[in-house]
Amino acid sequence: MNILPIERQTAIIAALTEGMSIRATERLTDTHRDTIMRLGVRVGTGCARLHNAMMRDLNVSRIELDELWAYIGKKQRRVSAEDDQSKGDCYTFIAMDATNKAIISFRSGKRDGITTEHFLTDLRLRVLGRPIVHSDGFAAYEEMMRWTFGDSADYGQIIKRVVGEPPFPAARRYSPGAVVGVNRRVISGDPGRISTSYVERQNLSVRMASRRFTRLTNGFSKKAENHAAAVALYVAHFNLCRVHETIRTTPAMALGITDHVWSITELIDAALRGRSEPPSQWYRRFRVIDGGRH
């Protein structure tokens, strides 16, 4: 296997995290698209391991949940009985720390109870104490929150009532109907004023920074494993490398997980060099405790 120079790897990953397509990155970096895709999957898979090791024992006060639609291979209406189960609709569940703007947990799959359970189980293992959790009215949330968090969360749902649709056919592809009412429902404890505004804004950031989520293009994922790697790459870059305009630092620094803004080169090195190390070693290496590395 040919090994790309680190400068070329950095240029490729930087392009992918800025929302460029595989072919545009191919033209920009003079690298074959198959090589770009292999590198993206390797780094993205490493980023998933890195996230799993670093995003633990988090003290967060308020968490917002949402699901972001995409599709794999083909749209749901074109899926046939011969296609594997990964084809069609694919939702990425995101749990966002509303204060520090960090993506705490994520999971891609079908919008069903099984994916929701895996997503919330992962979230519960990453946060300490009794957080406030807000979500939309997706039916599976209430049961799975009770199953995974029990009485250790203040949980509420915001349910928006939408009617009608935009008057012009082209606009219907992008715009939902008008919101005519909002209900806030307390499920357990005292969730305060229920809102999912921050995580809904995060959905726009995902679509802008990952070509696979851009609507009405041919940049959609063709394989589930490639889609999962792309999501993990986005999350690691967002948490570790991208300075958030509101908090003026990276989400990882705001959480105290790291003490500096990571470069793309550092992210690639951590994602690839950590392949042979167990998560506990990554956790000890990068976790910041009382201001020092351990």
Side-chain angles (χ1 to χ4, degrees):
M1 179 179 66
N2 294 327
I3 302 299
L4 292 173
I6 187 61
E7 295 80 9
R8 183 81 65 86
Q9 294 183 41
T10 300
I12 290 170
I13 297 302
L16 295 179
T17 55
E18 289 297 333
M20 296 188 67
S21 67
I22 297 292
R23 290 180 183 271
T25 303
E26 178 182 39
R27 293 189 292 270
L28 181 67
T29 63
D30 194 26
T31 306
H32 194 275
R33 56 186 173 273
D34 291 344
T35 302
I36 293 171
M37 284 189 286
R38 284 195 295 268
L39 177 64
V41 170
R42 288 172 59 221
V43 174
T45 303
C47 285
R49 287 190 291 265
L50 190 63
H51 177 91
N52 183 57
M54 297 178 70
M55 301 297 283
R56 292 181 178 273
D57 298 337
L58 304 176
N59 284 297
V60 295
S61 58
R62 187 161 70 89
I63 301 170
E64 296 182 8
L65 313 178
D66 202 15
E67 319 86 54
L68 177 63
W69 174 81
Y71 64 93
I72 295 175
K74 59 181 70 175
K75 291 188 175 179
Q76 190 64 38
R77 66 176 179 272
R78 299 186 180 278
V79 174
S80 65
E82 290 74 28
D83 291 316
D84 64 70
Q85 295 182 350
S86 68
K87 301 296 183 183
D89 288 347
C90 179
Y91 285 83
T92 297
F93 289 69
I94 293 177
M96 185 177 188
D97 175 3
T99 303
N100 300 302
K101 306 302 184 288
I103 298 176
I104 302 171
S105 182
F106 61 95
R107 182 88 180 190
S108 293
K110 300 300 181 182
R111 195 171 185 253
D112 55 19
I114 295 175
T115 306
T116 307
E117 179 183 0
H118 291 164
F119 168 63
L120 292 178
T121 299
D122 180 77
L123 176 62
R124 172 70 278 186
L125 293 173
R126 298 188 186 282
V127 298
L128 302 174
R130 183 187 178 92
I132 294 173
V133 182
H134 297 164
S135 76
D136 59 22
F138 178 44
Y141 275 137
E142 183 174 354
E143 179 183 356
M144 294 307 167
M145 277 293 297
R146 188 180 301 112
W147 177 264
T148 55
F149 279 80
D151 296 328
S152 62
D154 298 307
Y155 175 51
Q157 293 183 343
I158 183 168
I159 304 169
K160 299 177 181 179
R161 300 196 306 277
V162 180
V163 297
E165 61 181 11
F168 303 106
R172 293 177 191 145
R173 298 180 178 181
Y174 303 98
S175 303
V179 176
V180 298
V182 175
N183 292 332
R184 290 179 169 84
R185 181 169 171 241
V186 175
I187 306 298
S188 63
D190 181 14
R193 180 172 175 79
I194 303 166
S195 173
T196 55
S197 297
Y198 291 123
V199 71
E200 288 176 10
R201 174 58 180 82
Q202 173 64 227
N203 291 344
L204 174 61
S205 296
V206 176
R207 293 197 184 281
M208 294 295 291
S210 181
R211 187 67 168 177
R212 295 169 187 270
F213 287 88
T214 305
R215 298 178 184 273
L216 298 180
T217 72
N218 61 357
F220 57 89
S221 296
K222 314 307 187 289
K223 297 180 180 179
E225 54 269 29
N226 291 8
H227 189 80
V231 173
L233 173 60
Y234 168 81
V235 170
H237 178 266
F238 181 86
N239 283 339
L240 295 164
C241 303
R242 181 173 168 178
V243 175
H244 198 284
E245 291 183 1
T246 302
I247 59 177
R248 300 187 179 183
T249 185
T250 65
M253 290 180 67
L255 278 174
I257 292 174
T258 185
D259 58 2
H260 64 285
V261 179
W262 283 33
S263 66
I264 298 291
T265 302
E266 186 176 6
L267 178 64
I268 294 171
D269 180 65
L272 297 184
R273 193 154 51 89
R275 286 180 295 169
S276 61
E277 298 182 6
S280 58
Q281 291 186 21
W282 277 110
Y283 180 72
R284 286 195 298 269
R285 180 182 300 174
F286 290 109
R287 182 67 171 166
V288 177
I289 303 175
D290 295 331
R293 288 187 182 276
H294 289 251

